[in-house]
Amino acid sequence: MSARRAALILFIAASASAHTLVDVGMSIEAPRFVAMQQTFTYHVIADDRNNDNGSGIVITIVLPPAVKFVRASGGSTFRCSESKLTVTCAADVIIPGPNPIDVTVTAPATTATLHATANTQSLGSLDLTPGNDNAAADVVVYDAAACRQSAPTLIGPVDESPQSAFVRLSWSPVDGAQSYSIFTAVEGAAAAPMLVTDKTNASLIAEPGRSEWWVEATFNNCPPQDSEHRHFTTTSTAPRNVVTYAGAPNFRAPYGLALSPQNEIYVTDESDNVVRKIVGGTVTTLAGAAGVAGATEGQFALFNGPRGVAVTPLDGYVYVTDTQNHEVRILYTGGQFVPAFTVGSAADFNAPSGIAATFRGNLYVADTANNLVRKMTQITGFIGLFTISTYARDLHGPLGVAVDQNETVYVADTEDHTIRKFVNGAGSILAGESGVAGSSDGRGGEAHFDHPTAIALDARGNLFVTDRNGVRRIAPSGLTNTVARGFATLTGILVDPSDRIFVADPPAHLIRMIDRATAPPPATAGRRRAAH
């Protein structure tokens, strides 16, 4: 038996021996406001975040003393009972993923703030992540007779009017309002609060396309009130600053980028054959030996031209496409050293490049030289074991792949100059014209790309793509605009929670950061945030 194969078996054996390890994270969903004597439900989630069943799980939910208990249900998973406003739900086994419990109560006949808590105990399993074992939720009970505030009335701009990238908004004041939150949704992207102010006017930076906007007035002890919704259309793009985030001598040819749940940036260096990490501007080598190509596994792993990198959100494992070895590797980052092992071999891959991870740890890989996208599905009960299947075929040298929370898959079909969208395996062209390279912006096939390379999603469902024109943004509607021009050699891309864009520029040996757009605020504007 080869040393390489033996190391992999030892790794799998270590995983198999840890079947009793779980990570049960607790959360509570509840309405923000309820009227006096209204019946409502606490939706409690015990989320088994490990890829294995949990056993002997007990959930304790402590209800506020002022409520009246109605019922509790844990479905077929939990057996629930209630005593003195404490609900106890026990399960012999819970499966990976969310395991819900619904607790219904009636609010008191007086105004109050209701505080509920939930806690998990793993009696038959070992939970090594106690930090997420507790959850809480506050609900404000209000007097409907006393809460008769009106909603704001929008003043400007006029509905469906054209606007520049810097949009001035105004609305009527509302008696008793503590603040106003401005929401926007651009070209099918998820709605998001853009700014909060105590004024009745503000300035926004808007992305190109048709924006929906409205104002929410918030009060001290009453539910918020939303204005009517209006729309405006922006055709220009606000400029963004592009700066060097990291560079030589730390990088020779950075290629792939990924962001961890802790906002650490992982970078593959294709020429240096290593995987690096950036934390607070400090660059360290995570795995591999600088300048040394190889295929060794384990603590002293070697790589050969690694390109793609992804981090699984729940467990923090790092996956790398070791392109010239035609493999996919897992990097275990939880110990004093970082071993790497093969989880997908040359029997399944030919020069894999982009890789993307779902929330639950399944992987999608751009199998470039095979003109495919492969899906790697975790085998329950094991770390680093997957079934590998073909998810999409008949592509054209795809280099980039991204996946959203619904497992909709997006592919940079590089030699076809298109961005493709796959829903349950059924594909269509989201943006670009098949076989036609170009640089034009527009909607759907009106836009043109030149060898799109990497692709990433932001929190609202917008896609960001690197091609030989620079960085492009594709809204969920398919409208494409160019965010940054003048960069013909960009590869990897990511978008952080602050809406900053990071790109890898291999020939320049740099990681570049494209900052959020900024605008001069009007004298009466509140706190600003760039709108996307």
Side-chain angles (χ1 to χ4, degrees), residues 12 57 63 120 130 137 166 176 207-208 249 262 289 332 354 368 374 379 406 422 435 449 472 482:
I12 294 172
I57 306 299
L63 299 173
T120 180
F166 306 117
E207 293 287 354
Q262 293 75 37
Y332 176 69
T368 305
R374 304 279 196 186
I379 297 176
N406 298 315
F422 292 85
F449 297 84
R472 321 290 294 280
T482 300

Side-chain angles (χ1 to χ4, degrees), residues 21 49 138 173 194-195 275 334 355 433 435 465:
L21 293 179
R49 299 180 176 183
D138 289 326
M194 293 296 107
L195 63 84
V275 181
I355 185 170
E433 184 178 1
V465 182

Side-chain angles (χ1 to χ4, degrees), residues 149 158 526:
Q149 292 86 354
V158 175

Side-chain angles (χ1 to χ4, degrees), residues 83-165:
S83 176
K84 298 179 180 179
L85 295 179
T86 296
V87 177
T88 303
C89 298
D92 296 327
V93 176
I94 64 172
I95 62 174
N99 295 268
I101 300 169
D102 287 337
V103 180
T104 302
V105 300
T106 300
T110 58
T111 60
T113 298
L114 308 177
H115 183 73
T117 63
N119 166 269
T120 180
Q121 291 180 290
S122 302
L123 303 181
S125 308
L126 180 60
D127 190 336
L128 298 179
T129 313
N132 57 17
D133 288 355
N134 297 281
D138 289 326
V139 176
V140 175
V141 181
Y142 68 93
D143 182 355
C147 292
R148 297 185 179 275
Q149 292 86 354
S150 60
T153 299
L154 302 183
I155 297 174
V158 175
D159 195 25
E160 301 293 0
S161 60
Q163 296 291 319
S164 71

